[in-house]
């Protein structure tokens, strides 16, 4: 997880704006960087303040969360949110998650909040969990994709948390943020991945905040909290076991009764999270193919090993970047030996199944 001291900011910034943002002479910094548009900053409190201001002015800010990087906009600003859809190339009926700084602000966005949702929030926020709830009028159609529900998350990453707080201090109510990738592609887990994929679609006043690698590595668990029992719409680091232990329930994943799950969670489209390389989950890789597997699995001769995580947690952390690496190396096929188990491995298998469907 990134610390405030490690933050970097990149974007197509004017020198004057850069100097203002980082409080140091721009020329020196520009000459010290390898990629001209990526600026490294030590001075972070002011960087985050300026990023919050950029959000308030209607610009986009890509920022780190503990799950994946998000592409943020003021969740009450129709024009700014429209730009998220444009930049991502995402259909407008796919709703966005609103990020807030704490549970105390939940009832601005959601109403009829069931007791179990409060319990979940108290246990797992700030953290990698999104709750879908009945919306208030603050959540407009451009956020909800014309539904009566809104998805809310309190992220735990120090940079996202601070950014959202600063934004709220400026009078903002929440930051809408999908993963900062083009629609249907692999979510970014570091700022370079955001930059490589998105910079050509961003404007000079938009920003990318670099807070290092994401500690979880796959998107939040999404839980529908509009029915008598919670239902997991998208698996993640908050697993059914954690939820069932807390609530003394016995829920699984993709509850069949859940009408929302059929249409609205884009991660539930059959193809998603996909690199250009073909992802193959069964059979063995051959010479020239990419391979992602736990460390205990040997690499067959001539196969290009892309990652060797030691356990399911590391697997989630490195998965998306390894799939990106396959594309960087122009591999046509990448074989993945998915981890077993019912922890975050369930979410890994879910994403890989979708990545492999094309
Ligand atoms: O970890 C995450 O959740 C990341 C970080 C940036 O917070 N965000 C993320 O956003 O993954 P996105 O837009 O890539 O995925 C959010 C999913 C989409 O599949 C969307 O359809 C679903 O949440 N969603 C949003 N609002 C919803 C709602 N009201 N009902 C059901 N699903 C909803
Ligand atoms: Mg996404």
């Amino acid at each position: 997880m990134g610390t405030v001291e490690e933050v970097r900011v990149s974007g197509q910034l004017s020198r004057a704006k850069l100097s203002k943002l980082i409080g140091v002479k721009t020329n020196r910094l520009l000459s010290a960087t390898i990629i001209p548009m990526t600026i490294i900053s030590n001075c972070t409190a002011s960087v985050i303040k300026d990023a919050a201001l950029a959000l308030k002015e209607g610009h986009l800010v890509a920022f780190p969360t503990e799950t994946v990087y998000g592409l943020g906009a003021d969740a009450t600003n129709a024009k700014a949110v429209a730009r998220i859809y444009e930049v991502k190339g995402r259909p407008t009926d796919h709703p966005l998650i609103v990020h807030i700084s704490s549970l105390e602000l939940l009832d601005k966005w959601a109403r009829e909040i069931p007791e179990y949702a409060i319990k979940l929030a108290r246990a797992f926020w700030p953290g990698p969990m999104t709750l879908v709830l009945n919306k208030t009028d603050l959540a407009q159609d451009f956020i909800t994709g014309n539904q009566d529900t809104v998805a809310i998350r309190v992220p735990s990453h120090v940079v996202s948390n601070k950014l959202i707080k600063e934004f709220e201090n400026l009078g903002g109510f929440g930051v809408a943020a999908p993963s900062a990738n083009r629609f249907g592609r692999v979510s970014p887990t570091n700022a370079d991945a955001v930059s490589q994929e998105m910079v050509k679609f961003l404007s000079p006043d938009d920003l990318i905040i670099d807070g290092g690698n994401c500690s979880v590595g796959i998107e939040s668990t999404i839980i529908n909290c509009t029915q008598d029992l919670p239902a997991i719409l998208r698996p993640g680091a908050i697993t059914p076991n954690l939820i069932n232990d807390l609530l003394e329930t016995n829920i699984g994943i993709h509850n069949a009764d859940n009408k929302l799950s059929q249409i609205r969670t884009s991660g539930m489209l059959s193809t998603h999270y996909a690199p250009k390389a073909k992802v193959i989950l069964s059979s063995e890789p051959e010479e020239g193919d990419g391979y992602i597997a736990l460390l205990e699995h040997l690499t067959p001769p001539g196969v290009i090993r892309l990652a060797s995580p030691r356990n399911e947690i590391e697997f989630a952390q490195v998965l998306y970047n390894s799939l990106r690496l396959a594309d960087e190396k122009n591999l046509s096929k990448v074989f993945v030996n998915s981890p077993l188990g019912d922890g975050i491995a369930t979410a890994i298998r879910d994403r890989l199944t979708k990545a492999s469907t094309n």
Side-chain angles (χ1 to χ4, degrees):
M1 191 179 298
T3 64
V4 175
E5 287 68 36
E6 286 169 351
V7 173
R8 292 195 307 165
V9 176
S10 63
Q12 297 159 313
L13 299 172
S14 67
R15 290 203 166 171
K17 183 147 188 182
L18 267 177
S19 301
K20 200 180 135 230
L21 269 179
I22 55 191
V24 221
K25 281 216 168 88
T26 327
N27 284 344
R28 210 184 86 218
L29 277 158
L30 279 176
S31 63
T33 55
I34 300 163
I35 308 164
M37 284 186 313
T38 300
I39 307 303
I40 299 173
S41 169
N42 301 317
C43 167
T44 58
S46 71
V47 161
I48 292 174
K49 269 201 174 130
D50 279 306
L53 198 59
L55 284 173
K56 201 72 185 71
E57 286 172 350
H59 306 299
L60 302 187
V61 175
F63 61 96
T65 82
E66 69 280 18
T67 57
V68 299
Y69 274 68
L71 182 64
D74 178 347
T76 61
N77 180 332
K79 272 193 188 155
V81 171
R83 281 202 58 231
I84 288 186
Y85 285 97
E86 206 182 290
V87 165
K88 269 189 71 90
R90 169 165 164 152
T92 49
D93 61 350
H94 285 283
L96 301 174
I97 297 173
V98 177
H99 298 70
I100 58 175
S101 70
S102 90
L103 169 59
E104 277 76 68
L105 301 170
L106 184 60
D107 54 10
K108 291 205 186 308
W109 289 96
R111 60 189 172 80
E112 297 159 19
I113 304 166
E115 192 52 39
Y116 72 76
I118 301 287
K119 272 193 190 162
L120 287 167
R122 287 216 175 99
F124 302 122
W125 276 349
M129 177 186 74
T130 297
L131 301 182
V132 173
L133 293 154
N134 287 314
K135 73 176 195 74
T136 63
D137 290 345
L138 190 58
Q140 297 179 62
D141 287 346
F142 56 81
I143 283 292
T144 65
N146 300 309
Q147 300 178 94
D148 296 331
T149 57
V150 64
I152 306 285
R153 180 159 106 81
V154 178
S156 65
H157 192 292
V158 64
V159 172
S160 45
N161 208 274
K162 186 115 178 59
L163 175 66
I164 296 163
K165 274 201 187 113
E166 289 290 352
F167 177 70
E168 289 166 354
N169 287 343
L170 295 172
F173 289 98
V175 178
S179 50
N181 52 282
R182 297 280 289 165
F183 183 66
R185 316 301 312 186
V186 180
S187 298
T189 53
N190 59 56
D192 285 343
V194 178
S195 176
Q196 276 164 25
E197 187 161 336
M198 305 304 270
V199 99
K200 55 181 174 290
F201 302 102
L202 295 174
S203 302
D205 287 320
D206 301 328
L207 294 171
I208 300 170
I209 301 179
D210 183 342
N213 291 322
C214 300
S215 60
V216 175
I218 54 176
E219 306 81 356
S220 61
T221 305
I222 302 181
I223 308 173
N224 178 16
C225 298
T226 63
Q227 300 168 336
D228 292 345
L229 279 176
I232 298 179
L233 300 179
R234 179 176 72 181
I238 305 301
T239 59
N241 282 347
L242 288 171
I243 296 167
N244 288 328
D245 285 352
L246 178 79
L247 302 177
E248 297 176 357
T249 49
N250 188 24
I251 64 159
I253 291 174
H254 302 184
N255 185 329
D257 293 338
N258 196 327
K259 292 182 206 106
L260 287 175
S261 68
Q262 301 305 311
I263 34 167
R264 294 302 193 186
T265 302
S266 57
M268 290 199 165
L269 296 174
S270 54
T271 303
H272 216 75
Y273 315 109
K276 293 194 187 95
K278 191 170 170 47
V279 176
I280 300 169
L281 305 180
S282 52
S283 76
E284 288 297 309
E286 290 173 5
E287 202 172 325
D289 293 334
Y291 189 41
I292 301 168
L294 286 168
L295 182 63
E296 67 215 43
H297 297 287
L298 296 177
T299 312
V303 164
I304 300 151
R305 188 68 174 242
L306 299 168
S308 306
R310 285 171 299 182
N311 52 48
E312 59 177 348
I313 292 169
E314 277 189 16
F315 209 114
Q317 285 167 346
V318 300
L319 176 64
Y320 286 158
N321 223 38
S322 312
L323 293 175
R324 283 177 184 277
L325 190 59
D327 286 347
E328 270 168 38
K329 291 180 180 290
N330 279 321
L331 304 182
S332 56
K333 285 185 277 177
V334 51
F335 286 72
V336 190
N337 200 332
S338 312
L340 304 171
D342 58 6
I344 200 167
T346 309
I348 294 171
R349 293 194 298 273
D350 166 77
R351 305 304 193 274
L352 283 170
T353 304
K354 276 154 193 154
S356 67
T357 311
N358 51 39

